[in-house]
Amino acid sequence: MPDPVTLLHVPALSDLAEYAYAATVEPPARLVFTAGACPLDAEGRTVAPGDHAGQARQVMANLETALGAAGARLTDVVKTTVYVASSEQADLVKAWEVVRDSFGDHEPPSTLLGVAVLGYTDQLVEVEAVAAVRMEA
């Protein structure tokens, strides 16, 4: 059965972006919407305070866990939003490189935002995602 997700790289737009510019979902598919994955360990402690890349690694591990609970994988992701608590572009890039590398060859459309503050003490990174999973016939 074919994958319900098609990522669209748009030749008319810059090829500098390390993600597809659009994605489509073909029926029948079940959509999965995640809450923002945070850099928390199993005890609810923020990991890697002050380390954007370290927090991004924990965030992506937590995102994979949340997706798995819904029967989805990173390769099912259609769109992400990445929040980084910083006004420094270099910090955004550090977090983005971890997020991008976690997806491997799957490059879903993504929005990367620098924000003033996130919800947990010492939190620097958060990622939310939408995924599509082929429904069983």
Side-chain angles (χ1 to χ4, degrees):
M1 200 173 275
D3 187 5
V5 177
T6 301
L7 301 180
L8 303 170
H9 294 271
V10 182
L13 297 173
S14 170
D15 64 357
L16 291 179
E18 297 174 308
Y19 49 82
Y21 278 101
T24 62
V25 177
E26 297 299 324
R30 178 174 52 86
L31 294 178
V32 177
F33 298 85
T34 71
C38 299
L40 304 177
D41 64 16
E43 287 75 42
R45 294 178 299 237
T46 302
V47 303
D51 180 359
H52 290 87
Q55 287 198 7
R57 283 188 287 279
Q58 182 69 41
V59 162
M60 293 308 292
N62 291 348
L63 180 61
E64 281 192 84
T65 300
L67 288 168
R73 302 164 303 178
L74 287 177
T75 55
D76 297 319
V77 170
V78 177
K79 168 80 169 81
T80 65
T81 304
V82 180
Y83 302 94
V84 181
S86 179
S87 61
E88 298 295 322
Q89 189 176 34
D91 295 333
L92 276 70
V93 170
K94 287 175 195 171
W96 170 250
E97 288 174 344
V98 172
V99 172
R100 177 202 62 209
D101 291 350
S102 296
F103 282 100
D105 291 337
H106 184 72
E107 301 173 326
S110 188
T111 300
L112 175 63
L113 301 166
V115 298
V117 66
L118 291 167
Y120 291 99
T121 301
D122 296 323
Q123 182 183 359
L124 300 172
V125 180
E126 186 165 329
V127 177
E128 63 184 24
V130 178
V133 180
R134 172 71 54 206
M135 293 179 59
E136 300 300 323

